[in-house]
Amino acid sequence: MTARFPDDTPLTEAVLGAARELSERDALPAYVYDLGHLDAHLAAIRAACPEIEVLHAIKANPEPALLAVIARHVDGLEVASGGELAHVRSHLPDMPLAFGGPGKTDAELAAALGADVRRYHVESLHELRRLDALARARGRVAPVLLRVNLPAAPASGTALTMGGLPSPFGMDPTEADTAAGELSGLSGVRFLGIHAHLASGLDSADCAAVAETILGWANRYARRHKLEMLEVNVGGGMAVDYRYPGQVFDWADYGRRMANLTRAHAPLTVRIEPGRAVSAYSGWYATRVLDLKRSHGEWFAVCAGGTHHLRTPAAKGHDQPFAVLPSSQWANSWPRQTVTKEAVTLVGQLCTPKDVLARSVPVPHLSVGDVVLFAMSGAYAYNISHHGFLMHPTPTVVFVPSS
Ligand SMILES: *Cc1c(COP(=O)(O)O)cnc(C)c1O
């Protein structure tokens, strides 16, 4: 029988079956994606949020097979680099796209202008001016949402304030005011509205409260500058709590709150762009325990692979939830090393003490050869191994000859 840590870690028969088969083929470590789970999850999100538009931020996971499922349920995809743009265009040529992200190069903006990108999320005044010049040079008009960095307090009344802090993302409200003053002179761009992505890890009430703040600010901004505003994108950031895998973001509650907000702001189009909360639960990193050892009083399980495959626990500093699938496939002629009712730290094969997937987690039973299935590995997991994150080009490498 499988055991789960924590014990509300979900596991479908489809994933278990795939893991058994991979184990028998000795094809671990592996990523297992449950496309049926993803499809049902997206259908539930859409059913809960009929009155808002939904984009998906593909930086969470650009796997084409996932995007194909997600694309059936969303209004478009948000890409944040030229690499992501080219990737989506090669797999989903007709998908409506928004182009966001900091540090867009002229080459990337030019590629976007040639690729029928529907919306540009403009990160700075300089970027607005460059986009305008590039669009005019091509006889185009780029539809823009200005990304702003505002303070927004979540509903829970915690002291925590989201946004409004120094950040490389978006414009300060004063810079957005300057941009508004320039818009009428920039014939290469057309103002559609405001974009903000201020926080992550918010529950449904907090997430809707942040959206309300953004909408209120955007309305006042448009009125003050006499701009016709058609839409507001309130970003992503819906919570994924790795400590409680069974407690999924309450999309039904969020949808109700957002429906009220959307009606209050009619006929404005209100849009969200979740990433993590879309695909996190549909992906699994399956690996095998290669060695078990006690080191100065603590148990370590060395697993095949590691944080170069599953960077999430290292990046966020949490214990990745997991299930253990006992396997006797790796039996040797000597007794298998086993721990019973002990806390175990699960690490990978990298020669660095930072290669930790889960620390001091109590397990009833774990043996060398067992299969470990790390849950919630469908977003910001394999793809955030840094050279792959956001699909930017790799650096040039040069060797200056010794003289
Ligand atoms: C990363 C990102 C998102 C998605 O955030 P999640 O926390 O994964 O939902 C949405 N919008 C922008 C601009 C982002 O950078």
Side-chain angles (χ1 to χ4, degrees):
M1 263 314 288
T2 56
R4 296 150 198 226
F5 310 91
D7 57 16
D8 65 343
T9 298
L11 189 57
T12 59
E13 278 306 316
V15 170
L16 256 180
R20 280 202 192 92
E21 194 263 333
L22 286 158
S23 171
E24 279 159 24
R25 280 202 286 129
D26 210 5
L28 299 172
Y31 268 87
V32 178
Y33 291 106
D34 188 337
L35 297 181
H37 179 275
L38 183 66
D39 198 32
H41 182 54
L42 265 294
I45 291 175
R46 272 336 284 251
C49 302
E51 301 185 40
I52 52 179
E53 286 195 5
V54 180
L55 299 186
H56 173 57
I58 79 149
K59 79 170 189 283
N61 192 333
E63 283 289 353
L66 302 192
L67 295 184
V69 172
I70 293 166
R72 296 204 288 269
H73 299 279
V74 297
D75 300 291
L77 300 174
E78 190 253 6
V79 296
S81 72
E84 288 188 352
L85 171 64
H87 176 73
V88 175
R89 273 290 169 259
S90 74
H91 293 282
L92 297 162
D94 303 322
M95 199 65 192
L97 297 184
F99 188 15
K104 300 179 192 75
T105 65
D106 281 3
E108 288 175 315
L109 289 172
L113 286 163
D116 187 31
V117 164
R118 302 270 177 94
R119 287 169 181 85
Y120 295 79
H121 297 162
V122 176
E123 294 267 343
S124 73
L125 191 52
H126 176 58
E127 187 176 293
L128 182 70
R129 291 169 179 159
R130 280 195 300 122
L131 177 60
D132 169 65
L134 288 162
R136 270 190 292 114
R138 286 161 181 74
R140 306 290 291 259
V141 178
V144 302
L145 281 77
L146 303 181
R147 180 173 180 181
V148 292
N149 177 6
L150 313 167
S156 49
T158 51
L160 210 61
T161 302
M162 305 305 192
L165 297 169
S167 144
F169 309 121
M171 308 178 203
D172 283 6
T174 49
E175 186 164 323
D177 285 335
T178 308
E182 293 197 8
L183 275 169
S184 60
L186 302 179
S187 59
V189 296
R190 180 164 86 96
F191 175 81
L192 289 184
I194 292 295
H195 172 276
H197 169 70
L198 300 179
S200 63
L202 300 180
D203 68 17
S204 56
D206 283 350
C207 209
V210 168
E212 186 170 9
T213 304
I214 297 166
L215 283 161
W217 184 90
N219 267 321
R220 290 190 299 279
Y221 173 84
R223 223 177 303 131
R224 192 163 70 246
H225 294 290
K226 300 189 170 52
L227 291 169
E228 189 195 358
M229 183 170 69
L230 302 175
E231 49 191 63
V232 174
N233 182 325
V234 297
M238 294 72 188
V240 169
D241 192 335
Y242 292 85
R243 293 167 305 168
Y244 306 106
Q247 291 180 22
V248 180
F249 183 83
D250 190 343
W251 285 100
D253 178 65
Y254 181 70
R256 277 190 296 273
R257 292 170 189 271
M258 292 303 287
N260 288 336
L261 271 180
T262 305
R263 279 179 218 131
H265 288 277
L268 199 66
T269 296
V270 178
R271 189 178 299 124
I272 60 172
E273 51 183 21
R276 192 184 301 271
V278 168
S279 58
Y281 298 93
S282 302
W284 296 78
Y285 179 58
T287 183
R288 193 188 299 281
V289 178
L290 300 175
D291 205 350
L292 257 177
K293 58 172 114 176
R294 197 169 167 86
S295 167
H296 297 280
E298 282 186 37
W299 279 101
F300 288 84
V302 182
C303 301
T307 55
H308 54 315
H309 294 168
L310 176 62
R311 189 163 164 263
T312 329
K316 287 187 65 83
H318 63 224
D319 298 322
Q320 195 74 17
F322 60 94
V324 175
L325 173 59
S327 166
S328 53
Q329 199 180 322
W330 269 28
N332 296 106
S333 56
W334 57 90
R336 282 203 294 165
Q337 184 64 267
T338 293
V339 295
T340 305
K341 292 191 186 144
E342 296 270 9
V344 180
T345 293
L346 284 76
V347 302
Q349 293 171 286
L350 304 183
C351 298
T352 157
K354 301 208 167 136
D355 190 24
V356 176
L357 298 160
R359 195 179 292 281
S360 297
V361 179
V363 297
H365 194 83
L366 189 67
S367 296
V368 166
D370 284 353
V371 175
V372 180
L373 285 159
F374 286 97
M376 302 170 85
S377 303
Y380 305 108
Y382 187 34
N383 65 303
I384 61 164
S385 297
H386 252 168
H387 64 275
F389 193 25
L390 277 164
M391 303 185 136
H392 280 296
T394 51
T396 307
V397 178
V398 297
F399 301 93
V400 180
S402 52
S403 49

